[in-house]
Amino acid sequence: MQSISGSRDVVIVGSGHNGLVAAAYLAAAGKSVLVLERSSAAGGAAVSKRVFPEYDAWLSRYSYLVSLLPDQIVGDLRLNFRTLRRRVSSYTPWRDSAGQHRGLLLVPDDLQRSRDSMYELPGGVAEWRSYLEFCRLQAELAALVAPSFLQPLKTRRQFEEQLQTAEQRLAWDSFVERPLGEVIERSFQSDVVRGLVMTDGKIGVLAAPHDADLLQNRCFLYHVCGNGTGEWRVPEGGMRSLTGALLERCREAGAVVLTESPALRVEPGVQWHRVTFLQGGREYAVECRHVLMNAGPRTAARLLGQSYQPLSADEGSVIKINMLLRKLPMLLDREVSAQDAFAGTFHIDEGYQQMLQSWRSAVSGEIPNPVPGEIYCHTLTDPSILSPQLQLAGYHTLTLFGLDMPWRLFEQDHDARRNVGLTRYLEGVNRLCAEPFEDCNARTAAGELCLELHTPQDLQSELDLDSGNIFHNQPSWFFAETMERAGQRGVETAWPRIYLAGSAAQRGGAISGIPGYHAARCVLDD
């Protein structure tokens, strides 16, 4: 074993976007930084790939939208990165009393059109009023919570002391104190609108509206508080644009990023820590003052020689399907164009009662039928990820994000059950289309559909996500849950100068850079 000459101020294990955020801040502050990445390319889940090599289409392979990345981080690091607003928030199919296909279309900059669409629902006039009030409650809590994301952790009591108005107190009570299902059922009568709202409490976790542990509430807040608005925006150029902008800043400031260099051990010391890693088939070791762990809890424990036992609530619960289409399919709902319906989040089998049933099936070990999911089309907002030729030919990319598909469903007969899941998602889409969805898919030279599916097991294998959990573990609250944590940054560990710098940290999860920012602040404060 050889030692790399010299030492480093900081070694960062993992080059996901949080690790790169930390590296960029620290290198800009004059710290010597080494980033170790086990894969052949940096970026973790924030990457793009020509998933179907015969086509010049760069799909955001894992993560694909941005809400929680604070504008401050983009500004601080002068990132050459921007996001684009989707002209449609969501489209939710439903059927009227005559069995006709209809759809609820919500357009952020056209309240009139959104209102008219909701008015078509049974009881739609009252639902629209309730929807506006519900959005106001979300906005009240987001305005309270979002400014704290880059601050040391406040206590629950400190947040409660900030509540000044009756609406703020109602928002706190509705989203923090009580199960999310209570405010949803109190606010809405329509199964369609209840389901629409509940999806934000389920995306990424196996949860039900009335779970006593409020996992659904924590997941919901992740989806509605980003930058004080909760708006999910499209990364221009795809996720590789974010990783590319971060790598540019890291290299300009002198940080070293080594790919195909997996960390093997982290040995804590009194003055210096020692990190051993593999590169080119040989072991190397480097001493450093600080170590940042941009990795899941299982990997972090292994590197530190600790045992790890995941909690049941840490189980991953999603399937992701990437698709390339020759054209968008025509819909059975003739009142809405495919260009409008797919421009936002396209909900499939996500009625409130449908999701209750799918959750019951999943927790009992059965693949739900039907299975809820939602589709996002990057190219209707940002066609730049396609070559000019594909753009002219009318091609589009779709990503289907499937809910209630936990790790446990695929532990046995993985490939066969994976195919069952794919079949049920395609059946769900076909129930809404006026033409076979498969006929709209591009095909490879071998005649296969341009579809790429990731189960929780695939996500663990490809990204080292523990149990395929896109959050690394269950989402946390935004406040300190113990007095010991108050004033900390949510990234501290039991070892001095070893910090979490990934989604496993408190306030971690999604594309946010928040844990990376806090880990960097801890190093600089030291």
Side-chain angles (χ1 to χ4, degrees), residues 222-425:
Y222 267 71
H223 290 95
V224 302
C225 287
N227 280 306
T229 67
E231 182 181 13
W232 289 84
R233 296 171 66 96
V234 176
E236 186 176 31
M239 275 300 170
R240 66 174 178 165
S241 295
L242 176 59
T243 294
L246 286 166
L247 283 171
E248 182 180 8
R249 289 292 171 260
C250 287
R251 287 166 178 155
E252 284 178 355
V256 176
V257 180
L258 298 182
T259 57
E260 298 183 319
S261 301
L264 300 177
R265 291 183 299 281
V266 175
E267 301 168 78
V270 176
Q271 296 294 326
W272 297 88
H273 303 313
R274 185 179 180 88
V275 179
T276 304
F277 63 97
L278 193 66
Q279 187 184 52
R282 301 171 65 182
E283 282 193 9
Y284 296 88
V286 62
E287 292 188 331
C288 57
R289 290 284 295 161
H290 301 85
V291 177
L292 306 188
M293 293 286 197
N294 183 25
R298 176 174 53 87
T299 297
R302 174 178 57 80
L303 293 176
L304 287 160
Q306 304 293 303
S307 61
Y308 173 68
Q309 183 61 46
L311 302 174
S312 59
D314 292 340
E315 179 183 22
S317 186
V318 302
I319 269 183
K320 181 139 187 285
I321 306 175
N322 294 312
M323 297 173 271
L324 180 67
L325 268 61
R326 295 185 300 106
K327 65 170 186 172
L328 294 174
M330 294 185 295
L331 301 178
L332 289 169
D333 177 8
R334 297 306 176 90
E335 300 299 317
V336 177
S337 69
Q339 284 72 21
D340 283 346
F342 286 99
T345 300
F346 187 113
H347 296 280
I348 304 168
D349 293 322
E350 289 189 326
Y352 196 66
Q353 291 301 319
Q354 284 177 313
M355 289 192 293
L356 282 173
Q357 182 55 49
S358 68
W359 172 80
R360 294 188 191 103
S361 297
V363 296
S364 67
E366 299 175 4
I367 297 177
N369 190 16
V371 61
E374 45 198 58
I375 284 177
Y376 146 75
C377 177
H378 186 110
T379 45
L380 282 170
T381 302
D382 169 35
S384 72
I385 65 171
L386 299 177
S387 68
Q389 292 79 10
L390 291 180
Q391 292 179 41
L392 286 172
Y395 279 69
H396 285 285
T397 65
L398 295 184
T399 290
L400 189 151
F401 199 81
L403 311 185
D404 290 337
M405 283 292 195
W407 173 279
R408 70 188 76 174
L409 298 185
F410 304 96
E411 287 188 287
Q412 303 294 326
D413 300 320
H414 175 270
D415 291 352
R417 294 175 71 80
R418 187 176 183 268
N419 289 333
V420 170
L422 174 60
T423 298
R424 291 186 179 170
Y425 282 119

Side-chain angles (χ1 to χ4, degrees), residues 179-183 185 198 207-214 216-217 352 356:
L180 181 61
E182 289 189 18
V183 65
E185 293 170 15
M198 183 59 202
H210 292 277
D211 283 353
D213 64 0
L214 304 187
Q216 71 280 22
N217 292 53
Y352 196 66
L356 282 173

Side-chain angles (χ1 to χ4, degrees), residues 65-83:
L65 288 172
V66 176
S67 170
L68 283 163
L69 177 65
D71 294 336
Q72 179 183 326
I73 290 178
V74 177
D76 285 350
L77 297 178
R78 298 178 292 108
L79 297 180
N80 182 22
F81 171 75
R82 70 170 185 155
T83 58

Side-chain angles (χ1 to χ4, degrees), residues 5 69 87 93 96 126 132 136 157 170 176 331 338 392 409 427 453 515 524:
S5 59
L69 177 65
R87 59 184 178 82
D96 62 21
L132 292 179
R136 279 193 291 271
R157 175 60 62 87
L170 178 58
V176 179
L331 301 178
L392 286 172
L409 298 185
E427 288 173 348
L453 185 148
L524 296 175

